[in-house]
Amino acid sequence: MTGSSSYEDLVKAILECRKCPLYKFRNKPVPGEGPLDSKIMIIGEAPGRYEDISGRPFVGPAGKLLDHLLNLAGLERKEVYITNVVKCRPPKNRDPRPEEIEKCLSYLLRQIKIIKPKMIIALGRISANTLYDLVGRRWRGMKIEHGVSTEGKIEELNIVLIPTYHPAAALYRPEVKKILEEDFRTVIKDYARKVKSDTVSKKKSLLDFFS
Ligand code: URA
């Protein structure tokens, strides 16, 4: 099966999912979007109001801030794959429950397996905690862990994981926005550049080979 046909199957499964009660409240599930060969994956918590209406991740005010943060890291939205730990909006934007995260986790793992990112940016406590679990590392809280890179394996892939605050938390808290901007401007930018130049040099050496 090719990557894109297994991806289509995955999206279909998410759109039809009734594994947890969140399907009763949702307007549209939000599978995620971006290039399937992206080296960088951004993982948020769960869709909010605007995402539930449109079926697309990070399109509301937090998404606008995410675009700005990506720019600080020298990135554009169109070159990263964006998704969430939970694919349906929890009522009134409450935190997703552990059993909802658990039921949805197989979709995230399938996305990681298909996209094979080199780097994952986990936005917010829920996403960071879930990904720390996957790499077998103990979560000690955002104050300590934000902007710290961790190397680990998920689905047999070597991945650099960088947690930071959720953009929604920065919308009304200038001190959080400052930290987020600093994380994107420094550590995330450095790793993104490395990951992208690895890809470019691999493509270049293949081209050299064929020229
Ligand atoms: N918050 C998230 O965690 N994800 C979205 O897609 C939007 C807001």
Side-chain angles (χ1 to χ4, degrees):
M1 197 182 275
T2 66
S4 63
S5 68
S6 59
Y7 184 74
E8 281 162 24
D9 290 346
L10 172 57
V11 169
K12 188 164 178 284
I14 294 171
L15 296 182
E16 292 171 353
C17 184
R18 291 179 165 217
K19 286 202 279 184
C20 86
L22 290 182
Y23 81 86
K24 294 182 201 152
F25 311 106
R26 75 184 174 213
N27 213 324
K28 287 186 180 171
V30 182
E33 66 183 26
L36 298 187
D37 62 352
S38 177
K39 296 291 162 240
I40 301 170
M41 207 162 161
I42 314 273
I43 304 180
E45 176 178 315
R49 179 167 158 224
Y50 299 98
E51 292 76 22
D52 176 68
I53 294 168
S54 66
R56 297 182 54 215
F58 282 97
V59 290
K64 299 269 172 309
L65 180 53
L66 178 60
D67 289 344
H68 159 69
L69 294 166
L70 288 171
N71 286 341
L72 292 180
L75 293 166
E76 287 181 84
R77 179 182 272 252
K78 65 173 192 268
E79 61 185 320
V80 297
Y81 186 90
I82 306 179
T83 188
N84 289 296
V85 170
V86 167
K87 313 302 188 202
C88 296
R89 182 191 184 201
K92 297 189 186 151
N93 291 355
R94 65 156 168 76
D95 284 354
R97 298 187 172 131
E99 62 275 19
E100 293 159 355
I101 294 174
E102 198 189 315
K103 290 259 161 60
C104 222
L105 196 59
S106 68
Y107 297 133
L108 184 65
L109 290 173
R110 282 169 70 184
Q111 281 171 312
I112 292 173
K113 223 170 163 171
I114 291 168
I115 291 153
K116 300 184 176 48
K118 296 274 181 231
M119 169 182 178
I120 292 179
I121 302 162
L123 297 177
R125 169 180 54 88
I126 302 247
S127 168
N129 224 319
T130 304
L131 284 142
Y132 262 44
D133 268 359
L134 290 175
V135 298
R137 205 178 141 167
R138 190 170 67 86
W139 178 247
R140 295 174 301 162
M142 198 55 94
K143 271 197 182 139
I144 299 176
E145 306 284 1
H146 80 88
V148 175
S149 63
T150 292
E151 287 179 29
K153 262 195 199 300
I154 303 177
E155 296 289 302
E156 304 297 313
L157 301 161
N158 293 318
I159 287 172
V160 173
L161 171 62
I162 304 179
T164 191
Y165 289 88
H166 195 291
L171 288 175
Y172 305 102
R173 291 173 62 195
E175 73 283 8
V176 173
K177 187 172 177 201
K178 239 176 144 179
I179 300 173
L180 249 179
E181 288 179 333
E182 190 61 13
D183 284 349
F184 272 82
R185 198 183 286 126
T186 57
V187 59
I188 292 173
K189 184 177 188 174
D190 286 351
Y191 272 100
R193 195 187 289 142
K194 266 186 222 154
V195 160
K196 283 186 359 181
S197 69
D198 269 7
T199 318
V200 172
S201 60
K202 267 187 208 131
K203 276 188 186 150
K204 186 170 181 300
S205 56
L206 264 182
L207 283 177
D208 289 347
F209 182 75
F210 286 114
S211 63

